[in-house]
Amino acid sequence: MRFRQIEVFHAVYTTGSISAAARALHVSQPSVSKVLHHTQQRLGLELFRLVRGRLVATDEAHELFVEVSEVFSRLTSLQKTVGNLRSLSGGRVRLAVVPSLGLHIAPLAIARFRARHPDVTFDVQTLHHDALFQALYERSCDIAIAYDPPTHPRMKRRDIDTGELMLLFRTMTLPGVGEQVPLRILDGQNLVGLTTGGPVGDLLNRELQHQDVTVNEVVSNQTFYIAAELARNGVGMAVVDEFTARAAAGPAMSHRPFSPPLRFKVQCVHLEDRPPPEAARRFLTVFAKTLRDTRARAATD
């Protein structure tokens, strides 16, 4: 199948009609019908049947779609990469950060940077760890900032700072708690914010197992600020990164570091064969200082 045939089949299958597929592809209905008819003839398969005026996919189409969707995804990725390569600019920082850093730290760092360099623009996206490498491969970002990103032969990492996990809870649930809490305080407790994947989630899981702490995981999620909102609404305690914990704190919400601390690295990642442009390198310096300043202020509050 040629790309045009894959594109048409994918559009017809996902939209459910020739007319909708034509609108999605910005072409005429006859051209979609022609490509689809030629595809079925070439493959020797009936992919769609007309049933009571509606186009219905056959079993063969369902099986083919599994393979086509993967190919279509890779071709789309290739097109994005080509487009991004064309639009590279030294005066633009294309940044990907994990969601918790996008909540407060990254916006503050960007504001500080642009106050000094108003001619530099930004393209910012928040991504989970498993999507960071794809964004770098596709050139949709120049640098990615994450927590303990996994090693990869084509990626180069640079330490920015460190962070630690904290317990976030409704103040009334732990009256008189000390300045630090042992991990064992979670034993038997309802817990949210226990990430289902990623290096920081693995860090917490390993320590829970090491200390033989059993929690009642009422909600699993991969986004710390969602965990914070669940904790705020009384679903249970949450284990989140320190930046999310401080952003979520208030009169009714408290946070405490663990003793001993559960620390992780905050690192920048980029393609080994494509070092960050000058604007991105300068921004990383501002980002690192913003991170340090935020932690220093928190220590004195």
Side-chain angles (χ1 to χ4, degrees):
M1 293 176 70
R2 299 182 182 277
F3 177 60
R4 188 57 176 170
Q5 293 172 316
I6 292 174
E7 192 176 36
V8 167
F9 169 73
H10 187 276
V12 173
Y13 186 96
T14 53
T15 63
S17 72
I18 297 291
S19 58
R23 288 193 298 271
L25 296 173
H26 304 290
V27 297
S28 66
Q29 291 186 41
S31 65
V32 171
S33 297
K34 182 178 179 180
V35 171
L36 184 60
H37 178 70
H38 179 68
T39 302
Q40 292 183 117
Q41 277 192 325
R42 184 180 182 86
L43 296 177
L45 297 172
E46 184 182 23
L47 300 176
F48 300 94
R49 293 193 186 100
L50 198 61
V51 179
R52 298 175 186 173
R54 295 182 59 190
L55 211 57
V56 177
T58 63
D59 290 341
E60 291 81 2
H62 292 313
E63 290 187 32
L64 184 62
F65 182 75
V66 175
E67 301 296 330
V68 162
S69 59
E70 184 176 343
V71 175
F72 186 79
S73 175
R74 294 309 306 152
L75 288 169
T76 302
S77 173
L78 176 62
Q79 290 177 326
K80 286 182 181 179
T81 299
V82 172
N84 289 329
L85 285 171
R86 289 174 178 169
S87 64
L88 293 180
S89 172
R92 187 176 185 83
V93 176
R94 299 181 308 152
L95 170 70
V97 295
V98 288
S100 53
L101 288 176
L103 191 63
H104 174 67
I105 301 295
L108 179 58
I110 291 169
R112 287 181 173 183
F113 185 86
R114 292 206 71 255
R116 303 177 196 173
H117 307 283
D119 56 325
V120 177
T121 60
F122 279 79
D123 180 5
V124 185
Q125 52 185 317
T126 57
L127 298 171
H128 292 293
H129 282 85
D130 55 0
L132 290 176
F133 287 163
Q134 182 177 354
L136 288 166
Y137 282 137
E138 292 178 354
R139 269 62 171 190
S140 64
C141 68
D142 300 314
I143 52 175
I145 302 176
Y147 302 148
D148 280 337
T151 57
H152 192 280
R154 287 192 58 194
M155 300 293 171
K156 191 168 183 178
R157 300 188 296 177
R158 165 185 164 181
D159 290 350
I160 296 177
D161 206 332
T162 62
E164 64 179 307
L165 291 178
M166 289 190 174
L167 180 65
L168 183 66
F169 57 95
R170 279 185 165 185
T171 306
M172 67 179 72
T173 61
L174 293 175
V177 71
E179 292 301 311
Q180 297 176 321
V181 294
L183 190 66
R184 187 155 294 280
I185 201 171
L186 296 176
D187 202 38
Q189 296 285 346
N190 287 346
L191 187 72
V192 297
L194 185 61
T195 54
T196 57
V200 176
D202 294 341
L203 167 66
L204 176 59
N205 284 325
R206 283 195 306 269
E207 197 59 30
L208 287 171
Q209 292 176 6
H210 176 69
Q211 298 192 29
D212 195 25
V213 174
T214 301
V215 298
N216 180 23
E217 187 181 332
V218 292
V219 178
S220 292
N221 77 104
Q222 292 182 316
T223 306
F224 284 134
Y225 59 74
I226 293 178
E229 284 302 305
L230 288 165
R232 188 191 305 278
N233 284 279
V235 176
M237 298 180 184
V239 177
V240 298
D241 67 291
E242 62 178 275
F243 313 110
T244 301
R246 294 191 186 106
M253 295 295 294
S254 297
H255 62 276
R256 294 290 188 277
F258 290 103
S259 178
L262 300 179
R263 296 194 180 280
F264 53 85
K265 290 181 180 179
V266 181
Q267 296 181 310
C268 170
V269 189
H270 63 83
L271 289 173
E272 188 175 35
D273 59 354
R274 189 168 174 272
E278 180 63 23
R281 288 197 295 270
R282 291 187 181 186
F283 170 72
L284 285 174
T285 302
V286 174
F287 186 94
K289 187 175 187 308
T290 301
L291 208 56
R292 291 194 299 271
D293 291 347
T294 302
R295 298 185 69 202
R297 270 199 313 272
T300 59
D301 288 346

